[in-house]
Amino acid sequence: MIRFFLASVLLACSSIVYAQYSPVSSHNQKGKVFVYWGWNRASYTQSNIHFKGQEYDFTLKSVVAKDRPTHFTARYFNPSKMTIPQYNFRIGYFISPEFSLSFGFDHMKYVMKQDQIVNITGQISGSGTEYDRAYQNEPIELTGDFLKFEHTNGLNYLNIELRRMHNLLDERKLRVKNIELNIFEGAGVGILYPKTDVTLLNFEENDQWHIAGYGMNLVGGLNVTFFKHFFIQAEMKGGYINMPDILTTNFPQDRASQHFFFFQGNTNLGLIFKL
């Protein structure tokens, strides 16, 4: 929660700084295409998770989860293994000198903290386990034989964003040979397409790709472009995710639902060019 608050403050500061500048005509991006690949760290607020099926109907309250970053190795740059770490991909087009419209794929990973103690309300029956009974807002430990809950392949956020980019050096009438310094901000909406890994009681899991819900976000950051075509970009991205239709077990009617806020810190490498 603290991380998300800090992210909100930083995004707000970015907006204030951005508002102090006005674009100049010498930096015209219209007609340019950009594409980038990068990596993220993510954090999430606590969430209530509701599980409903033929044998159960219960809610776990204030569940804690974290991301699962891959150790930094050569696989980050190996084309056959680049999708294993938490990554970001985006391609976009500048529809005006300042504004771009883009499509992106944010591959986050969401892992419920195992063995945490949360409160449970609802009922479980017919599972043939020690958990078969009614619950009324009482503590339960999320052990492996009760629940494992992960969006690790992953918490996939497919989104469209409208961004505004502005060159700081142009505004200050500064020139650095072969280097551009840009700030940007934007907003986006999209869908969540996770492959969820769930072990619930003794039921067989259903880990199929599935449209589980929707999200919306704000984004801001700094872009450094070299020789007009290559750039490094640092982003702060925060938003809201609501997934009312998460697959859990192999019973077709079984579902889970949750909603929470997320924050990403992203580092990207990219290309920009004119068609």
Side-chain angles (χ1 to χ4, degrees), residues 212-230:
Y214 66 91
M216 56 189 71
N217 68 273
L218 297 175
V219 64
L222 181 69
N223 169 289
V224 183
T225 300
F226 304 92
F227 302 101
K228 297 184 179 181
H229 297 297
F230 308 95

Side-chain angles (χ1 to χ4, degrees), residues 32-264:
K32 290 185 179 180
V33 173
F34 67 89
V35 59
Y36 68 65
W37 183 277
W39 305 276
N40 69 70
R41 288 299 308 270
S43 59
Y44 314 101
T45 58
Q46 297 178 5
S47 68
N48 297 340
I49 308 178
H50 180 211
F51 293 86
K52 187 172 184 179
Q54 188 172 355
E55 309 290 346
Y56 56 87
D57 187 348
F58 64 90
T59 299
L60 304 175
K61 298 182 179 179
S62 302
V63 176
V64 175
K66 57 184 181 179
D67 67 347
R68 181 180 287 168
T70 302
H71 293 299
F72 188 79
T73 64
R75 76 176 58 188
Y76 274 69
F77 304 98
N78 184 334
S80 66
K81 297 181 179 180
M82 288 176 67
T83 59
I84 293 176
Q86 298 176 183
Y87 68 86
N88 302 82
F89 168 79
R90 183 164 295 278
I91 184 170
Y93 177 76
F94 277 90
I95 57 178
S96 78
E98 307 169 285
F99 287 95
S100 67
L101 192 62
S102 61
F103 169 77
F105 187 98
D106 296 349
H107 177 74
M108 298 175 279
K109 296 184 180 182
Y110 177 103
V111 182
M112 183 194 76
K113 182 181 177 183
Q114 210 65 56
D115 301 320
Q116 65 180 294
I117 297 176
V118 301
N119 281 7
I120 180 174
T121 297
Q123 59 83 27
I124 301 172
S125 61
S127 72
T129 69
E130 60 181 293
Y131 299 104
D132 285 0
R133 64 185 184 89
Y135 300 87
Q136 186 57 48
N137 199 32
E138 55 191 275
I140 187 171
E141 185 176 3
L142 302 183
T143 57
D145 63 336
F146 175 63
L147 177 66
K148 173 186 173 185
F149 186 82
E150 303 179 356
H151 309 292
T152 47
N153 200 19
L155 184 65
N156 300 313
Y157 179 39
L158 288 71
N159 57 90
I160 295 174
E161 287 184 349
L162 180 66
R163 296 186 177 189
R164 185 182 185 188
M165 179 176 283
H166 161 53
N167 188 299
L168 289 178
L169 297 181
D170 270 2
E171 174 62 29
R172 295 178 179 271
K173 302 187 185 306
L174 297 175
R175 293 292 181 270
V176 179
K177 188 175 181 180
N178 296 322
I179 294 178
E180 295 179 12
L181 181 63
N182 307 294
I183 58 172
F184 64 90
E185 63 180 7
V189 295
I191 62 171
L192 274 297
Y193 189 60
K195 187 177 183 182
T196 305
D197 183 8
V198 179
T199 301
L200 176 60
L201 299 167
N202 58 1
F203 302 118
E204 187 176 350
E205 70 177 351
N206 183 354
D207 61 346
Q208 302 299 309
W209 302 102
H210 180 69
I211 297 177
Y214 66 91
M216 56 189 71
N217 68 273
L218 297 175
V219 64
L222 181 69
N223 169 289
V224 183
T225 300
F226 304 92
F227 302 101
K228 297 184 179 181
H229 297 297
F230 308 95
F231 65 82
I232 299 174
Q233 187 162 290
E235 297 179 356
M236 295 175 296
K237 190 169 186 175
Y240 172 73
I241 285 173
N242 189 331
M243 293 188 291
D245 195 39
I246 302 168
L247 299 180
T248 54
T249 78
N250 261 345
F251 294 108
Q253 70 274 25
D254 288 13
R255 292 290 190 274
S257 62
Q258 66 175 152
H259 58 90
F260 52 87
F261 291 95
F262 74 95
F263 170 68
Q264 287 182 41

